[in-house]
Amino acid sequence: MTVTVEATCFTPAQLPPEGLPEIVVAGRSNVGKSSLINALLGTKLAHVGGTPGKTRSINFYLVEGGDEHPSFRLVDLPGYGYAARSKTEKRDWLRLTSAYLEKRESLRLVCHLVDFRHGLLANDRELQEWFVQQGKNLLVVFTKADKLPKGQWRGKVQQYVREGLFSVDVPIVTSAEKRAGLDELRSFIEKFLTAD
Ligand SMILES: Nc1nc2c(ncn2[C@@H]2O[C@H](COP(=O)(O)OP(=O)(O)O)[C@@H](O)[C@H]2O)c(=O)[nH]1
Ligand SMILES: [Mg+2]
C-alpha cells in the first residue's frame, strides 16, 4: 500500500474531479481525525495536533492498494465546532464542504469520528442530519477509546446507540494511540469499496 497527498483544497475550484471511490473522514476539530488517518494508513502525512481548528482544507489522500485491496481516496474534511471560529470561517467551511458533498457520486462512506468520552454533541447531531438528508452512508467511529477502561467500552457503545445516532452498522471503537479497532475499520472500508 502506498499513500500520497493528492490534493489540498481550500476552495471549491480546487476540488479534484471524481475518479476513484472515496471514503470520507469527518468530525469535530481535535477529535483525532489526523491521528486515526495516520494510524490507519501507516503514514505521518496528516498533521496532528497544533492549533485546534487550523485545518481548513479538504485533503485528498491517494491510497494505492497494489494486490492487497482496491485503490481509493481517503478524504479528510476540515474539522468543525471549534468555539473560537469566526463567522467567516464557518461560512467557508459550509461552502467548501457542500461543494464537495453535492453530487459526489464516488463517495462511498462517511466515517463520522466522535470522541468516545463525550458521545455525540449538538453539532455532531446537526452534521448527521445533514449527511443523512443527502443520502450519505454514515458510520460512527469512536476515537480515543484508550481514555476509557476497556471494561466500559461495550456499555458506552450501547448507551450512545440508545441515545440515538445514525450509523450503517454498529459503531466502531478505535484508539489511534493504542492502535485499537483499526483492522475492523479497514475491513469495513473495504466492504464499502467493493460494494456497488
Ligand atoms: N489518548 C489519545 N489521544 C489522541 C488519540 N488520537 C488523537 N489524540 C490526541 O488528540 C489531539 C488531536 O488529534 P488530531 O489527530 O490532530 O485531531 P484532529 O484535529 O481531529 O485531526 C492530539 O493531541 C492527539 O495526540 C487517541 O487515540 N488517544
Ligand atoms: Mg487534523
Side-chain angles (χ1 to χ4, degrees):
M1 179 170 86
T2 53
V3 187
T4 45
V5 179
E6 199 179 5
T8 304
C9 312
F10 290 91
T11 66
Q14 296 170 333
L15 292 167
E18 305 215 20
L20 287 171
E22 292 175 347
I23 303 291
V24 172
V25 178
R28 294 165 55 84
S29 302
N30 230 33
V31 72
K33 279 184 318 117
S34 301
S35 304
L36 192 67
I37 289 170
N38 285 338
L40 196 68
L41 302 181
T43 68
K44 294 204 163 157
L45 289 172
H47 184 76
V48 171
T51 318
K54 205 178 133 202
T55 320
R56 268 168 281 147
S57 52
I58 299 184
N59 308 310
F60 289 76
Y61 299 96
L62 172 63
V63 185
E64 289 170 294
D67 297 332
E68 298 162 59
H69 62 75
S71 298
F72 66 99
R73 281 175 174 160
L74 192 80
V75 183
D76 181 16
L77 291 189
Y80 55 89
Y82 182 59
R85 262 188 183 182
S86 67
K87 271 213 165 89
T88 330
E89 270 186 68
K90 283 177 188 158
R91 195 194 54 209
D92 288 348
W93 183 91
L94 192 61
R95 184 182 292 157
L96 181 60
T97 311
S98 343
Y100 167 69
L101 290 169
E102 268 170 26
K103 305 192 205 106
R104 196 76 180 179
E105 307 252 330
S106 35
L107 196 169
R108 296 293 169 86
L109 177 69
V110 179
C111 299
H112 182 202
L113 272 51
V114 175
D115 192 314
F116 199 35
R117 293 168 298 174
H118 311 310
L120 282 84
L121 304 181
N123 50 13
D124 291 310
R125 296 193 181 280
E126 273 175 48
L127 183 100
Q128 289 221 321
E129 297 280 346
W130 188 46
F131 281 12
V132 169
Q133 271 168 22
Q134 298 188 67
K136 310 296 182 202
N137 288 321
L138 270 180
L139 174 72
V140 171
V141 177
F142 290 115
T143 61
K144 308 191 188 183
D146 56 278
K147 302 229 183 195
L148 292 176
K150 215 164 182 178
Q152 289 182 15
W153 288 12
R154 186 197 282 265
K156 270 282 177 201
V157 172
Q158 286 169 345
Q159 178 201 328
Y160 292 143
V161 168
R162 231 177 10 248
E163 288 168 0
L165 51 78
F166 292 105
S167 186
V168 291
D169 209 315
V170 179
I172 296 177
V173 180
T174 68
S175 160
E177 197 152 299
K178 293 281 187 282
R179 307 195 60 82
L182 299 179
D183 285 340
E184 206 185 334
L185 182 54
R186 257 185 224 112
S187 50
F188 217 95
I189 288 174
E190 272 188 47
K191 196 167 101 185
F192 272 80
L193 286 176
T194 46
D196 279 313

